[in-house]
Each structure stands twice: as C-alpha cells, then as structure tokens.
Amino acid sequence: MSAVAKLLGQKEQPLARLEADPGSNECAEIQALLAKVETGLKQDSAAAGEDQ
C-alpha cells in the first residue's frame, strides 16, 4: 500500500467522526488529526514531485 493510500485511509475515520456532530473538544481533536494527515499528504506530494 502506498503512503498516499495509507494517509487517505487514515483520513476517512476522522471525517466520519466529524459528520456525527461531535462536541467542541472532540471536534478540535479531529481537526488536529486531519491536519496531521494533510501535512503528510503534502509532504508525500512534494517528495513525489522532487523524484520526477
């Protein structure tokens, strides 16, 4: 499994949790998780661009 696929898989669960209308504390935790995943995706994308 590629790193991108793994990160996208990790993104699905927090998105589903957001749809369940979480409280403000849980929402902040979910946003932090999503930010980490997005950072990983951007880093992987940048690394892929350097390889070309």
Side-chain angles (χ1 to χ4, degrees):
M1 176 181 287
S2 74
V4 172
K6 190 173 185 179
L7 287 168
L8 289 174
Q10 290 176 354
K11 189 175 180 178
E12 289 178 18
Q13 185 182 19
L15 287 174
R17 287 172 56 194
L18 276 178
E19 291 176 3
D21 196 28
S24 61
N25 289 340
E26 187 178 5
C27 188
E29 179 184 322
I30 294 168
Q31 292 292 350
L33 287 170
L34 288 171
K36 285 183 180 181
V37 171
E38 288 297 324
T39 299
L41 287 169
K42 287 178 185 176
Q43 288 174 345
D44 193 62
S45 177
E50 291 174 4
D51 290 343
Q52 293 179 358

